[in-house]
PDB file of all heavy atoms in Angstrom:
ATOM      1  N   ALA A  56       1.234  18.151   2.941  1.00  0.00           N
ATOM      2  CA  ALA A  56       0.229  17.194   2.481  1.00  0.00           C
ATOM      3  C   ALA A  56       0.671  16.526   1.182  1.00  0.00           C
ATOM      4  O   ALA A  56       0.585  15.302   1.033  1.00  0.00           O
ATOM      5  CB  ALA A  56      -1.112  17.893   2.285  1.00  0.00           C
ATOM      6  N   LEU A  57       1.151  17.325   0.233  1.00  0.00           N
ATOM      7  CA  LEU A  57       1.604  16.753  -1.035  1.00  0.00           C
ATOM      8  C   LEU A  57       2.819  15.863  -0.828  1.00  0.00           C
ATOM      9  O   LEU A  57       2.938  14.805  -1.455  1.00  0.00           O
ATOM     10  CB  LEU A  57       1.923  17.872  -2.032  1.00  0.00           C
ATOM     11  CG  LEU A  57       0.715  18.672  -2.532  1.00  0.00           C
ATOM     12  CD1 LEU A  57       1.170  19.843  -3.394  1.00  0.00           C
ATOM     13  CD2 LEU A  57      -0.258  17.783  -3.295  1.00  0.00           C
ATOM     14  N   ALA A  58       3.718  16.264   0.064  1.00  0.00           N
ATOM     15  CA  ALA A  58       4.901  15.455   0.329  1.00  0.00           C
ATOM     16  C   ALA A  58       4.530  14.098   0.901  1.00  0.00           C
ATOM     17  O   ALA A  58       5.219  13.098   0.661  1.00  0.00           O
ATOM     18  CB  ALA A  58       5.845  16.185   1.282  1.00  0.00           C
ATOM     19  N   SER A  59       3.432  14.059   1.658  1.00  0.00           N
ATOM     20  CA  SER A  59       3.003  12.784   2.234  1.00  0.00           C
ATOM     21  C   SER A  59       2.446  11.834   1.184  1.00  0.00           C
ATOM     22  O   SER A  59       2.330  10.629   1.431  1.00  0.00           O
ATOM     23  CB  SER A  59       1.946  13.028   3.311  1.00  0.00           C
ATOM     24  OG  SER A  59       0.700  13.409   2.736  1.00  0.00           O
ATOM     25  N   LEU A  60       2.094  12.368   0.022  1.00  0.00           N
ATOM     26  CA  LEU A  60       1.504  11.562  -1.045  1.00  0.00           C
ATOM     27  C   LEU A  60       2.511  11.180  -2.120  1.00  0.00           C
ATOM     28  O   LEU A  60       2.169  10.436  -3.043  1.00  0.00           O
ATOM     29  CB  LEU A  60       0.348  12.339  -1.693  1.00  0.00           C
ATOM     30  CG  LEU A  60      -0.770  12.792  -0.744  1.00  0.00           C
ATOM     31  CD1 LEU A  60      -1.775  13.655  -1.503  1.00  0.00           C
ATOM     32  CD2 LEU A  60      -1.460  11.610  -0.095  1.00  0.00           C
ATOM     33  N   CYS A  61       3.720  11.708  -2.027  1.00  0.00           N
ATOM     34  CA  CYS A  61       4.708  11.557  -3.102  1.00  0.00           C
ATOM     35  C   CYS A  61       6.045  11.042  -2.582  1.00  0.00           C
ATOM     36  O   CYS A  61       6.402  11.266  -1.429  1.00  0.00           O
ATOM     37  CB  CYS A  61       4.980  12.907  -3.771  1.00  0.00           C
ATOM     38  SG  CYS A  61       3.642  13.541  -4.759  1.00  0.00           S
ATOM     39  N   GLN A  62       6.768  10.407  -3.476  1.00  0.00           N
ATOM     40  CA  GLN A  62       8.199  10.195  -3.300  1.00  0.00           C
ATOM     41  C   GLN A  62       8.922  11.232  -4.168  1.00  0.00           C
ATOM     42  O   GLN A  62       8.318  11.900  -4.999  1.00  0.00           O
ATOM     43  CB  GLN A  62       8.587   8.777  -3.717  1.00  0.00           C
ATOM     44  CG  GLN A  62       7.942   7.686  -2.888  1.00  0.00           C
ATOM     45  CD  GLN A  62       8.455   7.647  -1.460  1.00  0.00           C
ATOM     46  OE1 GLN A  62       9.574   8.092  -1.185  1.00  0.00           O
ATOM     47  NE2 GLN A  62       7.638   7.148  -0.553  1.00  0.00           N
ATOM     48  N   SER A  63      10.217  11.329  -4.008  1.00  0.00           N
ATOM     49  CA  SER A  63      10.982  12.349  -4.713  1.00  0.00           C
ATOM     50  C   SER A  63      10.962  12.166  -6.227  1.00  0.00           C
ATOM     51  O   SER A  63      11.151  13.136  -6.973  1.00  0.00           O
ATOM     52  CB  SER A  63      12.429  12.355  -4.219  1.00  0.00           C
ATOM     53  OG  SER A  63      13.025  11.077  -4.410  1.00  0.00           O
ATOM     54  N   TYR A  64      10.700  10.964  -6.691  1.00  0.00           N
ATOM     55  CA  TYR A  64      10.687  10.684  -8.131  1.00  0.00           C
ATOM     56  C   TYR A  64       9.291  10.816  -8.742  1.00  0.00           C
ATOM     57  O   TYR A  64       9.090  10.528  -9.910  1.00  0.00           O
ATOM     58  CB  TYR A  64      11.239   9.278  -8.411  1.00  0.00           C
ATOM     59  CG  TYR A  64      10.602   8.188  -7.576  1.00  0.00           C
ATOM     60  CD1 TYR A  64       9.399   7.596  -7.957  1.00  0.00           C
ATOM     61  CD2 TYR A  64      11.204   7.765  -6.401  1.00  0.00           C
ATOM     62  CE1 TYR A  64       8.816   6.604  -7.191  1.00  0.00           C
ATOM     63  CE2 TYR A  64      10.630   6.773  -5.627  1.00  0.00           C
ATOM     64  CZ  TYR A  64       9.432   6.192  -6.026  1.00  0.00           C
ATOM     65  OH  TYR A  64       8.854   5.208  -5.254  1.00  0.00           O
ATOM     66  N   HIS A  65       8.326  11.268  -7.932  1.00  0.00           N
ATOM     67  CA  HIS A  65       6.956  11.439  -8.408  1.00  0.00           C
ATOM     68  C   HIS A  65       6.724  12.868  -8.904  1.00  0.00           C
ATOM     69  O   HIS A  65       7.580  13.744  -8.754  1.00  0.00           O
ATOM     70  CB  HIS A  65       5.961  11.120  -7.289  1.00  0.00           C
ATOM     71  CG  HIS A  65       5.830   9.658  -6.999  1.00  0.00           C
ATOM     72  ND1 HIS A  65       5.628   9.171  -5.733  1.00  0.00           N
ATOM     73  CD2 HIS A  65       5.873   8.578  -7.825  1.00  0.00           C
ATOM     74  CE1 HIS A  65       5.545   7.858  -5.777  1.00  0.00           C
ATOM     75  NE2 HIS A  65       5.692   7.480  -7.032  1.00  0.00           N
ATOM     76  N   SER A  66       5.516  13.103  -9.443  1.00  0.00           N
ATOM     77  CA  SER A  66       5.118  14.442  -9.880  1.00  0.00           C
ATOM     78  C   SER A  66       3.694  14.738  -9.443  1.00  0.00           C
ATOM     79  O   SER A  66       2.902  13.826  -9.161  1.00  0.00           O
ATOM     80  CB  SER A  66       5.250  14.589 -11.398  1.00  0.00           C
ATOM     81  OG  SER A  66       4.513  13.594 -12.076  1.00  0.00           O
ATOM     82  N   VAL A  67       3.384  16.029  -9.391  1.00  0.00           N
ATOM     83  CA  VAL A  67       2.080  16.537  -8.965  1.00  0.00           C
ATOM     84  C   VAL A  67       1.478  17.323 -10.116  1.00  0.00           C
ATOM     85  O   VAL A  67       2.125  18.213 -10.671  1.00  0.00           O
ATOM     86  CB  VAL A  67       2.222  17.444  -7.729  1.00  0.00           C
ATOM     87  CG1 VAL A  67       0.874  18.045  -7.343  1.00  0.00           C
ATOM     88  CG2 VAL A  67       2.834  16.680  -6.564  1.00  0.00           C
ATOM     89  N   ILE A  68       0.230  17.029 -10.459  1.00  0.00           N
ATOM     90  CA  ILE A  68      -0.454  17.688 -11.576  1.00  0.00           C
ATOM     91  C   ILE A  68      -1.359  18.791 -11.046  1.00  0.00           C
ATOM     92  O   ILE A  68      -2.166  18.576 -10.131  1.00  0.00           O
ATOM     93  CB  ILE A  68      -1.273  16.667 -12.392  1.00  0.00           C
ATOM     94  CG1 ILE A  68      -0.333  15.648 -13.050  1.00  0.00           C
ATOM     95  CG2 ILE A  68      -2.144  17.369 -13.429  1.00  0.00           C
ATOM     96  CD1 ILE A  68      -1.067  14.494 -13.736  1.00  0.00           C
ATOM     97  N   CYS A  69      -1.237  19.987 -11.625  1.00  0.00           N
ATOM     98  CA  CYS A  69      -2.072  21.124 -11.236  1.00  0.00           C
ATOM     99  C   CYS A  69      -2.191  22.066 -12.426  1.00  0.00           C
ATOM    100  O   CYS A  69      -1.601  21.831 -13.479  1.00  0.00           O
ATOM    101  CB  CYS A  69      -1.485  21.853 -10.034  1.00  0.00           C
ATOM    102  SG  CYS A  69       0.124  22.624 -10.356  1.00  0.00           S
ATOM    103  N   THR A  70      -2.935  23.149 -12.274  1.00  0.00           N
ATOM    104  CA  THR A  70      -2.996  24.159 -13.329  1.00  0.00           C
ATOM    105  C   THR A  70      -1.782  25.080 -13.229  1.00  0.00           C
ATOM    106  O   THR A  70      -1.135  25.175 -12.180  1.00  0.00           O
ATOM    107  CB  THR A  70      -4.270  25.015 -13.237  1.00  0.00           C
ATOM    108  OG1 THR A  70      -4.210  25.805 -12.035  1.00  0.00           O
ATOM    109  CG2 THR A  70      -5.524  24.153 -13.216  1.00  0.00           C
ATOM    110  N   GLN A  71      -1.537  25.791 -14.310  1.00  0.00           N
ATOM    111  CA  GLN A  71      -0.372  26.687 -14.335  1.00  0.00           C
ATOM    112  C   GLN A  71      -0.523  27.867 -13.379  1.00  0.00           C
ATOM    113  O   GLN A  71       0.467  28.492 -12.994  1.00  0.00           O
ATOM    114  CB  GLN A  71      -0.148  27.194 -15.755  1.00  0.00           C
ATOM    115  CG  GLN A  71      -1.311  27.984 -16.334  1.00  0.00           C
ATOM    116  CD  GLN A  71      -1.153  28.288 -17.809  1.00  0.00           C
ATOM    117  OE1 GLN A  71      -0.227  27.793 -18.450  1.00  0.00           O
ATOM    118  NE2 GLN A  71      -2.043  29.098 -18.354  1.00  0.00           N
ATOM    119  N   SER A  72      -1.746  28.190 -12.964  1.00  0.00           N
ATOM    120  CA  SER A  72      -1.958  29.296 -12.029  1.00  0.00           C
ATOM    121  C   SER A  72      -2.103  28.825 -10.584  1.00  0.00           C
ATOM    122  O   SER A  72      -2.317  29.644  -9.689  1.00  0.00           O
ATOM    123  CB  SER A  72      -3.215  30.085 -12.417  1.00  0.00           C
ATOM    124  OG  SER A  72      -4.370  29.261 -12.363  1.00  0.00           O
ATOM    125  N   ALA A  73      -1.977  27.525 -10.338  1.00  0.00           N
ATOM    126  CA  ALA A  73      -2.171  26.995  -8.992  1.00  0.00           C
ATOM    127  C   ALA A  73      -1.180  27.596  -8.007  1.00  0.00           C
ATOM    128  O   ALA A  73      -0.010  27.830  -8.327  1.00  0.00           O
ATOM    129  CB  ALA A  73      -2.030  25.475  -9.004  1.00  0.00           C
ATOM    130  N   HIS A  74      -1.642  27.821  -6.805  1.00  0.00           N
ATOM    131  CA  HIS A  74      -0.817  28.429  -5.762  1.00  0.00           C
ATOM    132  C   HIS A  74       0.423  27.599  -5.486  1.00  0.00           C
ATOM    133  O   HIS A  74       1.506  28.141  -5.230  1.00  0.00           O
ATOM    134  CB  HIS A  74      -1.645  28.587  -4.490  1.00  0.00           C
ATOM    135  CG  HIS A  74      -1.173  29.661  -3.575  1.00  0.00           C
ATOM    136  ND1 HIS A  74      -0.226  29.433  -2.592  1.00  0.00           N
ATOM    137  CD2 HIS A  74      -1.493  30.968  -3.480  1.00  0.00           C
ATOM    138  CE1 HIS A  74      -0.002  30.558  -1.936  1.00  0.00           C
ATOM    139  NE2 HIS A  74      -0.748  31.500  -2.445  1.00  0.00           N
ATOM    140  N   VAL A  75       0.302  26.273  -5.534  1.00  0.00           N
ATOM    141  CA  VAL A  75       1.459  25.415  -5.255  1.00  0.00           C
ATOM    142  C   VAL A  75       2.550  25.581  -6.303  1.00  0.00           C
ATOM    143  O   VAL A  75       3.719  25.288  -6.058  1.00  0.00           O
ATOM    144  CB  VAL A  75       1.057  23.928  -5.154  1.00  0.00           C
ATOM    145  CG1 VAL A  75       0.107  23.711  -3.989  1.00  0.00           C
ATOM    146  CG2 VAL A  75       0.446  23.418  -6.455  1.00  0.00           C
ATOM    147  N   GLU A  76       2.162  26.085  -7.481  1.00  0.00           N
ATOM    148  CA  GLU A  76       3.131  26.307  -8.557  1.00  0.00           C
ATOM    149  C   GLU A  76       3.689  27.728  -8.527  1.00  0.00           C
ATOM    150  O   GLU A  76       4.889  27.942  -8.716  1.00  0.00           O
ATOM    151  CB  GLU A  76       2.466  26.033  -9.908  1.00  0.00           C
ATOM    152  CG  GLU A  76       3.175  26.619 -11.125  1.00  0.00           C
ATOM    153  CD  GLU A  76       4.554  26.007 -11.397  1.00  0.00           C
ATOM    154  OE1 GLU A  76       4.936  25.037 -10.727  1.00  0.00           O
ATOM    155  OE2 GLU A  76       5.255  26.523 -12.289  1.00  0.00           O
ATOM    156  N   THR A  77       2.825  28.711  -8.286  1.00  0.00           N
ATOM    157  CA  THR A  77       3.228  30.103  -8.500  1.00  0.00           C
ATOM    158  C   THR A  77       3.585  30.876  -7.239  1.00  0.00           C
ATOM    159  O   THR A  77       4.266  31.900  -7.317  1.00  0.00           O
ATOM    160  CB  THR A  77       2.103  30.884  -9.214  1.00  0.00           C
ATOM    161  OG1 THR A  77       0.951  30.926  -8.353  1.00  0.00           O
ATOM    162  CG2 THR A  77       1.735  30.219 -10.529  1.00  0.00           C
ATOM    163  N   ASP A  78       3.130  30.432  -6.068  1.00  0.00           N
ATOM    164  CA  ASP A  78       3.221  31.285  -4.889  1.00  0.00           C
ATOM    165  C   ASP A  78       3.729  30.590  -3.631  1.00  0.00           C
ATOM    166  O   ASP A  78       3.472  31.077  -2.525  1.00  0.00           O
ATOM    167  CB  ASP A  78       1.854  31.916  -4.587  1.00  0.00           C
ATOM    168  CG  ASP A  78       1.508  33.017  -5.573  1.00  0.00           C
ATOM    169  OD1 ASP A  78       2.073  34.105  -5.447  1.00  0.00           O
ATOM    170  OD2 ASP A  78       0.694  32.771  -6.473  1.00  0.00           O
ATOM    171  N   GLU A  79       4.418  29.482  -3.763  1.00  0.00           N
ATOM    172  CA  GLU A  79       4.878  28.806  -2.554  1.00  0.00           C
ATOM    173  C   GLU A  79       6.383  28.571  -2.564  1.00  0.00           C
ATOM    174  O   GLU A  79       6.892  27.732  -1.832  1.00  0.00           O
ATOM    175  CB  GLU A  79       4.075  27.521  -2.327  1.00  0.00           C
ATOM    176  CG  GLU A  79       2.641  27.892  -1.952  1.00  0.00           C
ATOM    177  CD  GLU A  79       1.717  26.736  -1.677  1.00  0.00           C
ATOM    178  OE1 GLU A  79       2.073  25.584  -1.986  1.00  0.00           O
ATOM    179  OE2 GLU A  79       0.621  26.989  -1.154  1.00  0.00           O
ATOM    180  N   CYS A  80       7.104  29.339  -3.397  1.00  0.00           N
ATOM    181  CA  CYS A  80       8.561  29.428  -3.326  1.00  0.00           C
ATOM    182  C   CYS A  80       9.242  28.060  -3.407  1.00  0.00           C
ATOM    183  O   CYS A  80      10.286  27.840  -2.811  1.00  0.00           O
ATOM    184  CB  CYS A  80       8.962  30.142  -2.033  1.00  0.00           C
ATOM    185  SG  CYS A  80      10.657  30.756  -2.022  1.00  0.00           S
ATOM    186  N   GLY A  81       8.616  27.128  -4.160  1.00  0.00           N
ATOM    187  CA  GLY A  81       9.212  25.811  -4.304  1.00  0.00           C
ATOM    188  C   GLY A  81       9.048  24.917  -3.088  1.00  0.00           C
ATOM    189  O   GLY A  81       9.666  23.846  -3.016  1.00  0.00           O
ATOM    190  N   ALA A  82       8.205  25.313  -2.126  1.00  0.00           N
ATOM    191  CA  ALA A  82       8.048  24.522  -0.897  1.00  0.00           C
ATOM    192  C   ALA A  82       7.527  23.100  -1.155  1.00  0.00           C
ATOM    193  O   ALA A  82       8.004  22.160  -0.513  1.00  0.00           O
ATOM    194  CB  ALA A  82       7.136  25.254   0.082  1.00  0.00           C
ATOM    195  N   PRO A  83       6.560  22.901  -2.074  1.00  0.00           N
ATOM    196  CA  PRO A  83       6.131  21.518  -2.319  1.00  0.00           C
ATOM    197  C   PRO A  83       7.281  20.631  -2.820  1.00  0.00           C
ATOM    198  O   PRO A  83       7.413  19.480  -2.387  1.00  0.00           O
ATOM    199  CB  PRO A  83       5.041  21.676  -3.389  1.00  0.00           C
ATOM    200  CG  PRO A  83       4.503  23.049  -3.176  1.00  0.00           C
ATOM    201  CD  PRO A  83       5.707  23.867  -2.789  1.00  0.00           C
ATOM    202  N   GLU A  84       8.107  21.177  -3.684  1.00  0.00           N
ATOM    203  CA  GLU A  84       9.256  20.421  -4.165  1.00  0.00           C
ATOM    204  C   GLU A  84      10.266  20.201  -3.029  1.00  0.00           C
ATOM    205  O   GLU A  84      10.844  19.118  -2.903  1.00  0.00           O
ATOM    206  CB  GLU A  84       9.937  21.160  -5.320  1.00  0.00           C
ATOM    207  CG  GLU A  84       9.081  21.293  -6.574  1.00  0.00           C
ATOM    208  CD  GLU A  84       8.279  22.589  -6.630  1.00  0.00           C
ATOM    209  OE1 GLU A  84       7.939  23.137  -5.555  1.00  0.00           O
ATOM    210  OE2 GLU A  84       8.004  23.062  -7.744  1.00  0.00           O
ATOM    211  N   PHE A  85      10.466  21.210  -2.206  1.00  0.00           N
ATOM    212  CA  PHE A  85      11.439  21.124  -1.115  1.00  0.00           C
ATOM    213  C   PHE A  85      11.059  20.041  -0.113  1.00  0.00           C
ATOM    214  O   PHE A  85      11.873  19.196   0.256  1.00  0.00           O
ATOM    215  CB  PHE A  85      11.543  22.482  -0.422  1.00  0.00           C
ATOM    216  CG  PHE A  85      12.443  22.501   0.776  1.00  0.00           C
ATOM    217  CD1 PHE A  85      13.817  22.606   0.619  1.00  0.00           C
ATOM    218  CD2 PHE A  85      11.925  22.411   2.050  1.00  0.00           C
ATOM    219  CE1 PHE A  85      14.659  22.616   1.727  1.00  0.00           C
ATOM    220  CE2 PHE A  85      12.750  22.426   3.159  1.00  0.00           C
ATOM    221  CZ  PHE A  85      14.125  22.527   3.007  1.00  0.00           C
ATOM    222  N   PHE A  86       9.814  20.084   0.345  1.00  0.00           N
ATOM    223  CA  PHE A  86       9.402  19.143   1.396  1.00  0.00           C
ATOM    224  C   PHE A  86       9.195  17.721   0.876  1.00  0.00           C
ATOM    225  O   PHE A  86       9.192  16.773   1.663  1.00  0.00           O
ATOM    226  CB  PHE A  86       8.147  19.652   2.104  1.00  0.00           C
ATOM    227  CG  PHE A  86       8.425  20.761   3.073  1.00  0.00           C
ATOM    228  CD1 PHE A  86       8.074  22.057   2.784  1.00  0.00           C
ATOM    229  CD2 PHE A  86       9.077  20.509   4.264  1.00  0.00           C
ATOM    230  CE1 PHE A  86       8.351  23.096   3.666  1.00  0.00           C
ATOM    231  CE2 PHE A  86       9.362  21.529   5.156  1.00  0.00           C
ATOM    232  CZ  PHE A  86       9.002  22.830   4.861  1.00  0.00           C
ATOM    233  N   SER A  87       9.019  17.578  -0.415  1.00  0.00           N
ATOM    234  CA  SER A  87       8.901  16.235  -0.999  1.00  0.00           C
ATOM    235  C   SER A  87      10.252  15.720  -1.498  1.00  0.00           C
ATOM    236  O   SER A  87      10.319  14.666  -2.119  1.00  0.00           O
ATOM    237  CB  SER A  87       7.906  16.250  -2.162  1.00  0.00           C
ATOM    238  OG  SER A  87       8.379  17.079  -3.214  1.00  0.00           O
ATOM    239  N   ASN A  88      11.305  16.466  -1.235  1.00  0.00           N
ATOM    240  CA  ASN A  88      12.651  16.116  -1.689  1.00  0.00           C
ATOM    241  C   ASN A  88      12.761  16.060  -3.207  1.00  0.00           C
ATOM    242  O   ASN A  88      13.561  15.307  -3.749  1.00  0.00           O
ATOM    243  CB  ASN A  88      13.106  14.781  -1.080  1.00  0.00           C
ATOM    244  CG  ASN A  88      13.320  14.880   0.413  1.00  0.00           C
ATOM    245  OD1 ASN A  88      13.905  15.844   0.889  1.00  0.00           O
ATOM    246  ND2 ASN A  88      12.847  13.895   1.158  1.00  0.00           N
ATOM    247  N   GLY A  89      11.921  16.852  -3.878  1.00  0.00           N
ATOM    248  CA  GLY A  89      12.129  17.002  -5.315  1.00  0.00           C
ATOM    249  C   GLY A  89      11.002  16.584  -6.224  1.00  0.00           C
ATOM    250  O   GLY A  89      11.169  16.588  -7.443  1.00  0.00           O
ATOM    251  N   SER A  90       9.837  16.214  -5.695  1.00  0.00           N
ATOM    252  CA  SER A  90       8.719  15.863  -6.582  1.00  0.00           C
ATOM    253  C   SER A  90       8.433  17.030  -7.529  1.00  0.00           C
ATOM    254  O   SER A  90       8.339  18.178  -7.100  1.00  0.00           O
ATOM    255  CB  SER A  90       7.457  15.553  -5.774  1.00  0.00           C
ATOM    256  OG  SER A  90       7.641  14.414  -4.977  1.00  0.00           O
ATOM    257  N   LYS A  91       8.266  16.724  -8.796  1.00  0.00           N
ATOM    258  CA  LYS A  91       8.126  17.770  -9.810  1.00  0.00           C
ATOM    259  C   LYS A  91       6.670  18.200  -9.947  1.00  0.00           C
ATOM    260  O   LYS A  91       5.752  17.372  -9.888  1.00  0.00           O
ATOM    261  CB  LYS A  91       8.642  17.261 -11.160  1.00  0.00           C
ATOM    262  CG  LYS A  91       8.678  18.318 -12.262  1.00  0.00           C
ATOM    263  CD  LYS A  91       9.332  17.783 -13.507  1.00  0.00           C
ATOM    264  CE  LYS A  91       9.362  18.815 -14.627  1.00  0.00           C
ATOM    265  NZ  LYS A  91      10.097  20.027 -14.236  1.00  0.00           N
ATOM    266  N   ILE A  92       6.464  19.483 -10.136  1.00  0.00           N
ATOM    267  CA  ILE A  92       5.136  20.022 -10.426  1.00  0.00           C
ATOM    268  C   ILE A  92       4.939  20.026 -11.940  1.00  0.00           C
ATOM    269  O   ILE A  92       5.741  20.595 -12.679  1.00  0.00           O
ATOM    270  CB  ILE A  92       4.973  21.455  -9.879  1.00  0.00           C
ATOM    271  CG1 ILE A  92       5.228  21.495  -8.370  1.00  0.00           C
ATOM    272  CG2 ILE A  92       3.589  21.994 -10.212  1.00  0.00           C
ATOM    273  CD1 ILE A  92       4.197  20.817  -7.529  1.00  0.00           C
ATOM    274  N   LEU A  93       3.867  19.375 -12.398  1.00  0.00           N
ATOM    275  CA  LEU A  93       3.500  19.378 -13.815  1.00  0.00           C
ATOM    276  C   LEU A  93       2.272  20.255 -13.984  1.00  0.00           C
ATOM    277  O   LEU A  93       1.239  20.014 -13.339  1.00  0.00           O
ATOM    278  CB  LEU A  93       3.184  17.954 -14.297  1.00  0.00           C
ATOM    279  CG  LEU A  93       4.288  16.896 -14.152  1.00  0.00           C
ATOM    280  CD1 LEU A  93       3.775  15.553 -14.645  1.00  0.00           C
ATOM    281  CD2 LEU A  93       5.539  17.317 -14.911  1.00  0.00           C
ATOM    282  N   THR A  94       2.353  21.276 -14.824  1.00  0.00           N
ATOM    283  CA  THR A  94       1.258  22.237 -14.937  1.00  0.00           C
ATOM    284  C   THR A  94       0.500  22.087 -16.253  1.00  0.00           C
ATOM    285  O   THR A  94       1.099  21.840 -17.305  1.00  0.00           O
ATOM    286  CB  THR A  94       1.769  23.678 -14.813  1.00  0.00           C
ATOM    287  OG1 THR A  94       2.672  23.946 -15.888  1.00  0.00           O
ATOM    288  CG2 THR A  94       2.489  23.883 -13.498  1.00  0.00           C
ATOM    289  N   ALA A  95      -0.805  22.280 -16.149  1.00  0.00           N
ATOM    290  CA  ALA A  95      -1.677  22.241 -17.319  1.00  0.00           C
ATOM    291  C   ALA A  95      -2.166  23.647 -17.630  1.00  0.00           C
ATOM    292  O   ALA A  95      -2.546  24.388 -16.714  1.00  0.00           O
ATOM    293  CB  ALA A  95      -2.877  21.335 -17.060  1.00  0.00           C
ATOM    294  N   PRO A  96      -2.167  24.053 -18.899  1.00  0.00           N
ATOM    295  CA  PRO A  96      -2.747  25.351 -19.249  1.00  0.00           C
ATOM    296  C   PRO A  96      -4.229  25.386 -18.874  1.00  0.00           C
ATOM    297  O   PRO A  96      -4.930  24.370 -18.983  1.00  0.00           O
ATOM    298  CB  PRO A  96      -2.564  25.418 -20.769  1.00  0.00           C
ATOM    299  CG  PRO A  96      -1.511  24.412 -21.096  1.00  0.00           C
ATOM    300  CD  PRO A  96      -1.658  23.327 -20.082  1.00  0.00           C
ATOM    301  N   SER A  97      -4.681  26.539 -18.422  1.00  0.00           N
ATOM    302  CA  SER A  97      -6.091  26.678 -18.054  1.00  0.00           C
ATOM    303  C   SER A  97      -6.487  28.137 -18.170  1.00  0.00           C
ATOM    304  O   SER A  97      -5.894  29.002 -17.515  1.00  0.00           O
ATOM    305  CB  SER A  97      -6.333  26.183 -16.623  1.00  0.00           C
ATOM    306  OG  SER A  97      -7.656  26.432 -16.220  1.00  0.00           O
ATOM    307  N   ALA A  98      -7.494  28.402 -18.977  1.00  0.00           N
ATOM    308  CA  ALA A  98      -7.926  29.788 -19.191  1.00  0.00           C
ATOM    309  C   ALA A  98      -8.625  30.360 -17.969  1.00  0.00           C
ATOM    310  O   ALA A  98      -8.601  31.574 -17.747  1.00  0.00           O
ATOM    311  CB  ALA A  98      -8.852  29.857 -20.404  1.00  0.00           C
ATOM    312  N   ASP A  99      -9.258  29.503 -17.181  1.00  0.00           N
ATOM    313  CA  ASP A  99     -10.048  29.992 -16.050  1.00  0.00           C
ATOM    314  C   ASP A  99      -9.572  29.463 -14.703  1.00  0.00           C
ATOM    315  O   ASP A  99     -10.239  29.641 -13.694  1.00  0.00           O
ATOM    316  CB  ASP A  99     -11.525  29.639 -16.234  1.00  0.00           C
ATOM    317  CG  ASP A  99     -11.786  28.135 -16.245  1.00  0.00           C
ATOM    318  OD1 ASP A  99     -10.810  27.350 -16.187  1.00  0.00           O
ATOM    319  OD2 ASP A  99     -12.963  27.740 -16.306  1.00  0.00           O
ATOM    320  N   GLY A 100      -8.413  28.802 -14.670  1.00  0.00           N
ATOM    321  CA  GLY A 100      -7.878  28.314 -13.409  1.00  0.00           C
ATOM    322  C   GLY A 100      -8.353  26.950 -13.000  1.00  0.00           C
ATOM    323  O   GLY A 100      -7.937  26.424 -11.959  1.00  0.00           O
ATOM    324  N   LYS A 101      -9.230  26.348 -13.789  1.00  0.00           N
ATOM    325  CA  LYS A 101      -9.756  25.023 -13.456  1.00  0.00           C
ATOM    326  C   LYS A 101      -8.967  23.928 -14.171  1.00  0.00           C
ATOM    327  O   LYS A 101      -8.591  24.063 -15.334  1.00  0.00           O
ATOM    328  CB  LYS A 101     -11.229  24.908 -13.841  1.00  0.00           C
ATOM    329  CG  LYS A 101     -12.200  25.534 -12.867  1.00  0.00           C
ATOM    330  CD  LYS A 101     -13.633  25.181 -13.264  1.00  0.00           C
ATOM    331  CE  LYS A 101     -14.641  25.710 -12.254  1.00  0.00           C
ATOM    332  NZ  LYS A 101     -16.023  25.312 -12.617  1.00  0.00           N
ATOM    333  N   LEU A 102      -8.780  22.836 -13.464  1.00  0.00           N
ATOM    334  CA  LEU A 102      -8.168  21.647 -14.037  1.00  0.00           C
ATOM    335  C   LEU A 102      -9.270  20.749 -14.583  1.00  0.00           C
ATOM    336  O   LEU A 102     -10.347  20.642 -13.983  1.00  0.00           O
ATOM    337  CB  LEU A 102      -7.383  20.906 -12.956  1.00  0.00           C
ATOM    338  CG  LEU A 102      -6.398  19.817 -13.385  1.00  0.00           C
ATOM    339  CD1 LEU A 102      -5.302  20.382 -14.274  1.00  0.00           C
ATOM    340  CD2 LEU A 102      -5.789  19.158 -12.147  1.00  0.00           C
TER     341      LEU A 102
END
């Protein structure tokens, strides 16, 4: 889904605890051919 919204030179904004950042083994970056994940600090997991 994220790859369909991005080109390889784009980035995705999420929290630092988001599953796409911490638990998907780089799959969002892989399937988007390199779109970067940008993480925001969050004490409670909310963006």
Side-chain angles (χ1 to χ4, degrees):
L57 292 174
S59 73
L60 303 175
C61 290
Q62 297 291 335
S63 58
Y64 51 84
H65 286 144
S66 56
V67 176
I68 295 173
C69 64
T70 67
Q71 61 189 7
S72 61
H74 205 271
V75 297
E76 162 66 7
T77 64
D78 286 284
E79 291 181 348
C80 197
E84 295 93 332
F85 176 81
F86 283 107
S87 64
N88 292 316
S90 295
K91 186 174 179 60
I92 303 291
L93 302 178
T94 62
S97 174
D99 64 356
K101 280 188 176 182
L102 194 61

